[in-house]
Structure formats: structure tokens, C-alpha cells
Amino acid sequence: MTILAKYTKLREHYHRIAGAGRDPFTVKFDAMLSPTEGMLNGRRTILLGTNNYLGLTFDQSCIDKGVEALKSFGTGTTGSRIANGSYDGHAALERELAAFYGRESCMVFTTGYQANLGIISTLVGKDDLLFLDSDSHASIYDAAKMTPAQVIRFRHNDPEDLNKRLRRVADHPGNKLVVVEGIYSMLGDVAPLKEFAQVKRENGVYLLVDEAHSMGVLGETGRGLAQEVGVEDDVDFIVGTFSKSLGAVGGFCVSDLPDFDVMRVACRPYMFTASLPPSVIATCLRSLERLQEEPGLRHKLMANSKRLYDGLRNLGFQVGPDVNPIVAVSLPSIELAITFWNRLLEEGLYLNLALPPATPNSQSLLRTSVSAAHTTKQIDTAIELFAKVARQLGVQPALVQTAAE
Amino acid sequence: MTTDVNDIVETIIAALVKTLPTPVTVTTETSITRDLGLDSLAVMDFVMVLEDQFDVSIPMERIAEVETIGDLARTISELRGHA
């Protein structure tokens, strides 16, 4: 019995998945040809699972800014924000993000995961209550584990259920924080944020929205779901990431709360980790500008998303409830999902295999994420490959749909 | 064990039998994660059903302390007592 013995079951589960073909957890690209194409085992492969929503990873102006910063400021800050890790660029990016969202304050984190982990776990203290949607991202669940606050889950995307749970503790004197996401990362479903905002107002609680998958995707200027449905005034904290629409890595939180800056000396996942390299900050500053300069990227993204969503649905596949850049096909068994995923990869289409327990309702998902940089032809090829593999495997999508429901 | 807790145990078992894919004999001593084959997420989802039945919210950190059906019943009883 080694210290790793507790993971025996997990290891067996992993080997079963990896043993069925390629190991989905260690797919390695030899080269990236563009935001939407990579080389995998000597084969050109369409990338349909990278969250690269605006396709800015190869934007020349972003690359130029990154190279410039790399030359001027070096490869890394080699320190945390509160020690030696804040350069002009970090402060500038915080100013620009605050301006983009029309908010007073912004804090930049080294990853999106740390942004959720740090902000949520620091906002609520031992006398407070934290309310989570049951389909929350792992970073939100991990924040819940770190906080001494009481943590209460409510049913996914169910404002009435949240309301009921808030009413149960109406007399509790502590502060209450509700956390929801704009677009959920597995199925691409959208939170009923207008209704959540109403529950928030009626109960006098704080509301945090994680716009990781909706920044640059939803809203008139790309600020996300809160902007799209006109409830930004009800949202006290917006958390987001640089690793999706902005094409890099990092995370942030914006807020209008007075004295928000005290978080800089209270929030441990902000304080005790090295800050982002100046080159990453520089590419993010530029990609945030690109996001604002070119609303056409967002329109192309949504057109591509609709094309893929409709195409797969018309084949008879069961897709998520909303048309979004995340299009997930639900298959009736883990085994079929693994086989299907392997066959698509052999055909030159990369997407994400998402399996329980990381998925809602223990679904087995082929999860795609669409980019503005995809050509119409690439989207159509993806749909054709889904149809081809289904035929080869003798899977009738319409029957799959019935079985999965 | 008090009558209240016994009643709660019965309600939990009745609800649980409906949820489980295969029939299992469940008692006060049954370990929720080990004997029922439920992963942590399934346990939390089942707890939501109980929260509605007993009109009580069970914080996640309290769920983490629960091992057996009896533990869960005592936790619910305590939380109801405070309500």
C-alpha cells in the first residue's frame, strides 16, 4: 500500500478509457498551423475543442505586442504581485478591463481557476453563506472547500430553487453570496440570469457571475451574459479568464464594491503565486482591444456556432439546450463516446471527450467549441465526419437521442 | 436514537431506494459512499432531494462529515432543531 493506493480505482478507470484507443488526457499536438488546425501524429487535424472563441491565438498584432514585451521585460516576473511581480502592464491590463466592464476595480490573476478560487473563497468568511449552482465548475467547488463559510448548493439553472434555499436561511445574519456562470462549460447552456438577478434583489444578497465562456461571446460589446440580458447593475462581481476569448492564460475579477482593493492583501491565490509573464499581459492587452475593435468576430463566431449546432441536431444527435460556441453531443454510453471520439480523431477532427463525474447528470459527451476563425468548410467537414463515423459505427443518431433522453 | 432520528432514517431509506439503480438493503449503518456505490456528486444530488423533503439546507461541509445513513439522519435532525 503506497500513498497512492487510494487512487487504485481511478487508475483502473483511466486505463480503461486510455486503453480503448488514444489517451484523451494526453493528446499532444506536434505543431499548430492556425487557431483551428494542428498537426497530430503527422496528420492535419481540425481543432474543434480549444475554447479559442475569437481565434486570436495567432493574431499578428497580439503576437507582435507579446514579442515586444518579451524583449523589453524578459521572460517572467519571477515573483508575486505583492512582492516583485507587478509591472506597468499588469496595472494597465487591470485599468483596461475595468474600463471595458465600466467598473471601478479589477484584479488580475495568474489563471482563471485562481480567480474563482481566490475571489470566492476570500469574499465569504466563517459567518457567511455561499450558494452554488450544482453544475458549477471545479474552480468554484474548490473555492467552496477553501472557505470557512457554509456552502449550499441549489439546482442547476433554477432561480426558484435558489429562492427557496435563500428563504430557509432568511434570518441568518451573515452575508450571502450567490455564484452562477454565464455559459456552462460542458453543455453550453446559459444561466437564466434575469431571473437570478431578481432573486438576488428580493433577497438582498451578493451575486457573482463567472463569464469565462461568455466574455467575447455574448452581449452587445462582448461583456458577457449580464450585458446580453441587461442585468449588469445587479451583478456585484464578474470573474473571467484570458484563456478563452483572449487566447492566452490568466483570470480577473471586476467590481464596483468600495474598498475592493483590500482583496489584494487578503486573497491568498492572488498573493502567493507568481504573476503573469509580461508577454502574456501584453498579448491580453492587445486581444482585449481586438475584441472591442472587431465585433465581426463575435458575429462570425455565432454564425459558425449555429451552423454546427443545427448541422449536428439535423443529423439527429442530442445537443445542448442553447445555440452557443459550446456544442456538446450526448451519447448513451461511456464506451460509445470513447469509440466515437477515437474514430473522429483518426479522421482528423479533434474535440473534447467529457465523461462522468465531470459532466452534468453523468452524461457522456463529445464536447466541441467553435471559433470565429473556423471556416464554413471546416464546420461542414466536422458535421460530415460526425455523420460518417455514426454510419461506420452503426449508430443511428435519432435512436441515440431517444436512448439518451 | 430518538424517534425523530428514526423517522428521518426511514424517510432517507425510502427516498434512497427510489434513487438507486439496483436494489440494496439499506440500514442505519450503511456507508453512503462505500456501500451504495454513489460518487460524491451523486451523494450531493441525493442530499438535495432530502433537503426538500425535510425543508432544511444541509451545508456541503456537513455532508462531508457524513459517513453512514445514521450520521445523515442525525445531521438533518440537528439542523431541523436549530431551524
Side-chain angles (χ1 to χ4, degrees):
Chain A
M1 286 272 281
T2 78
I3 199 165
L4 295 176
K6 55 182 144 318
Y7 299 115
T8 303
K9 268 197 171 160
L10 179 64
R11 193 183 314 111
E12 286 167 8
H13 188 49
Y14 178 11
H15 286 160
R16 258 200 314 281
I17 294 169
R22 222 163 256 296
D23 178 352
F25 304 108
T26 59
V27 170
K28 193 166 101 288
F29 295 99
D30 307 318
M32 297 304 269
L33 306 172
S34 76
T36 58
E37 228 185 352
M39 291 301 283
L40 194 69
N41 302 302
R43 178 185 180 121
R44 290 181 91 96
T45 300
I46 297 175
L47 306 176
L48 195 66
T50 58
N51 304 321
N52 195 355
Y53 297 127
L54 301 182
L56 291 174
T57 48
F58 281 86
D59 180 276
Q60 193 56 51
S61 65
C62 293
I63 291 176
D64 290 345
K65 287 288 182 189
V67 169
E68 202 180 291
L70 195 56
K71 286 181 173 163
S72 315
F73 292 95
T75 53
T77 64
T78 64
S80 74
R81 291 292 301 277
I82 54 165
N84 55 305
S86 275
Y87 294 7
D88 271 356
H90 296 81
L93 184 54
E94 285 174 340
R95 275 197 308 276
E96 291 305 320
L97 280 163
F100 174 59
Y101 278 96
R103 303 267 177 169
E104 287 295 319
S105 313
C106 174
M107 269 171 83
V108 162
F109 290 77
T110 303
T111 66
Y113 173 87
Q114 284 165 300
N116 264 341
L117 191 73
I119 291 291
I120 296 168
S121 68
T122 310
L123 281 175
V124 284
K126 74 175 171 52
D127 299 324
D128 301 326
L129 291 171
L130 174 62
F131 291 82
L132 305 183
D133 184 288
S134 59
D135 278 5
S136 287
H137 187 261
S139 55
I140 298 170
Y141 273 112
D142 290 355
K145 275 191 193 168
M146 269 175 65
T147 162
Q150 280 189 41
V151 183
I152 293 170
R153 282 169 97 226
F154 56 90
R155 288 194 166 81
H156 175 54
N157 275 355
D158 191 339
E160 192 35 54
D161 192 66
L162 169 65
N163 196 33
K164 187 170 71 186
R165 284 171 160 71
L166 283 168
R167 280 203 308 261
R168 272 188 202 134
V169 290
D171 296 335
H172 193 288
N175 285 297
K176 292 156 194 157
L177 174 67
V178 172
V179 176
V180 299
E181 298 175 39
I183 296 179
Y184 282 82
S185 65
M186 285 292 123
L187 292 175
D189 47 336
V190 171
L193 196 54
K194 251 196 164 129
E195 291 75 9
F196 276 128
Q198 193 185 337
V199 170
K200 171 241 153 89
R201 282 195 300 272
E202 287 170 5
N203 290 277
V205 299
Y206 290 96
L207 178 61
L208 181 150
V209 180
D210 176 358
E211 301 265 21
H213 291 275
S214 36
M215 178 195 194
V217 174
L218 299 178
E220 203 193 335
T221 63
R223 295 208 288 241
L225 180 62
Q227 184 182 34
E228 173 105 0
V229 300
V231 297
E232 287 181 292
D233 288 348
D234 293 307
V235 180
D236 302 284
F237 309 96
I238 287 178
V239 171
T241 176
F242 308 148
S243 62
K244 296 173 172 70
S245 285
L246 298 189
V249 63
F252 68 91
C253 176
V254 293
S255 179
D256 275 332
L257 207 67
D259 306 324
F260 181 72
D261 267 355
V262 76
M263 294 284 280
R264 292 188 198 272
V265 288
C267 179
R268 299 167 67 89
Y270 172 88
M271 297 161 69
F272 298 105
T273 192
S275 63
L276 283 168
S279 55
V280 171
I281 294 287
T283 67
C284 289
L285 270 164
R286 180 60 193 141
S287 57
L288 181 61
E289 283 175 3
R290 295 283 289 123
L291 183 160
Q292 295 170 84
E293 285 166 7
E294 217 173 315
L297 289 174
R298 209 157 53 249
H299 303 148
K300 173 74 168 130
L301 170 65
M302 284 322 263
N304 280 346
S305 306
K306 183 159 170 43
R307 194 174 184 91
L308 182 67
Y309 183 91
D310 288 346
L312 293 175
R313 200 185 48 182
N314 290 341
L315 287 174
F317 285 106
Q318 186 192 330
V319 289
D322 300 308
V323 179
N324 268 321
I326 297 168
V327 183
V329 167
S330 179
L331 291 174
S333 75
I334 293 179
E335 291 73 25
L336 180 60
I338 294 171
T339 308
F340 211 111
W341 179 84
N342 270 283
R343 290 290 301 118
L344 286 173
L345 201 60
E346 287 161 23
E347 295 285 346
L349 179 63
Y350 172 77
L351 44 78
N352 312 124
L353 176 63
L355 300 174
T359 54
N361 305 318
S362 297
Q363 294 184 79
S364 300
L365 302 174
L366 298 177
R367 175 195 178 274
T368 74
S369 49
V370 177
S371 172
H374 280 123
T375 62
T376 305
K377 187 161 174 292
Q378 284 177 315
I379 299 289
D380 289 347
T381 302
I383 297 166
E384 282 159 24
L385 288 175
F386 263 92
K388 181 179 171 184
V389 170
R391 264 197 318 276
Q392 286 173 350
L393 294 177
V395 175
Q396 287 176 278
L399 295 180
V400 169
Q401 188 167 16
T402 318
E405 270 170 5
Chain B
M1 210 178 289
T2 65
T3 328
D4 182 38
V5 173
N6 282 330
D7 289 348
I8 295 172
V9 166
E10 273 178 36
T11 311
I12 294 175
I13 293 175
L16 197 51
V17 169
K18 271 186 247 165
T19 318
L20 292 174
T22 48
V24 181
T25 310
V26 184
T27 70
T28 312
E29 304 310 317
T30 303
S31 158
I32 294 170
T33 46
R34 208 181 50 237
D35 300 336
L36 299 177
L38 297 177
D39 63 38
S40 56
L41 218 55
V43 171
M44 288 195 291
D45 288 342
F46 174 62
V47 164
M48 275 189 166
V49 174
L50 297 179
E51 287 179 323
D52 287 344
Q53 289 206 4
F54 293 106
D55 191 28
V56 66
S57 286
I58 311 172
M60 274 171 63
E61 67 280 3
R62 298 293 296 267
I63 302 169
E65 294 163 6
V66 165
E67 171 70 34
T68 65
I69 299 287
D71 295 342
L72 183 55
R74 276 185 291 274
T75 302
I76 292 172
S77 174
E78 273 174 42
L79 288 167
R80 289 215 303 179
H82 293 165

